[in-house]
């Protein structure tokens, strides 16, 4: 869970409070189950862990947007680069960029997920 907290801090400038831990754990569990269901798997492969972390962070950012935007040290990133992929976060205000950032994370890993989909009989 520390990785997700660091991701949220790095991209949204928001330090996840201890009081948010139960929400973060619930979102992590929920996103894990969603990925398992989507792929038809019983165990999440290591190759999808980063997708789980990004989607959990995106869900958290989306749910806690008002708290994040009210943070004094808010500094929403304008660009995310992972390997050879770069995503520029548009928007002129922090609110617009935060919303776009959450949606980028929530759509994270679509190509990776397809590689692990199985048909359940």
């Amino acid at each position: 869970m520390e990785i997700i907290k660091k991701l949220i801090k790095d991209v949204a400038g928001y330090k996840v409070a201890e009081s948010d831990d139960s929400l973060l754990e619930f979102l992590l569990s929920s996103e894990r189950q969603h990925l398992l269901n989507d792929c038809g798997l019983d165990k999440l492969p290591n190759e999808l862990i980063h997708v789980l972390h990004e989607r959990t962070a995106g869900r958290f950012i989306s749910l806690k947007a008002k708290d994040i935007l009210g943070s004094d040290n808010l500094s929403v990133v304008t660009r995310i680069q992972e390997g050879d992929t770069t995503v520029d976060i548009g928007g002129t205000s922090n609110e617009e960029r935060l919303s776009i950032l959450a949606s980028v994370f929530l759509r994270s890993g679509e190509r990776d997920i397809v590689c692990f989909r199985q048909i359940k009989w």
Side-chain angles (χ1 to χ4, degrees), residues 1-13:
M1 211 164 55
E2 294 304 316
I3 293 171
I4 300 167
K5 288 180 179 181
K6 182 176 178 352
L7 180 60
I8 293 166
K9 174 72 173 153
D10 289 348
V11 300

Side-chain angles (χ1 to χ4, degrees), residues 57-80:
R59 186 77 57 209
F60 182 87
I61 290 169
S62 180
L63 288 173
K64 299 291 280 186
K66 287 187 181 203
D67 293 338
I68 293 170
L69 289 169
S71 178
D72 292 336
N73 61 349
L74 179 66
S75 59
V76 179
V77 298
T78 56
R79 172 182 283 198
I80 299 173

Side-chain angles (χ1 to χ4, degrees), residues 31-32 35-36 38-39 41 43-55 108-117:
E31 287 300 319
R32 177 185 306 276
L35 283 171
L36 290 172
D38 196 23
C39 293
L41 300 172
K43 183 180 178 212
L44 193 67
N46 287 337
E47 294 87 353
L48 293 180
I49 295 296
H50 74 282
V51 175
L52 173 64
H53 292 163
E54 289 171 4
R55 287 186 171 205
S108 173
E110 287 299 325
R111 289 182 294 175
D112 295 331
I113 293 169
V114 170
C115 296
F116 291 94
R117 282 200 176 119

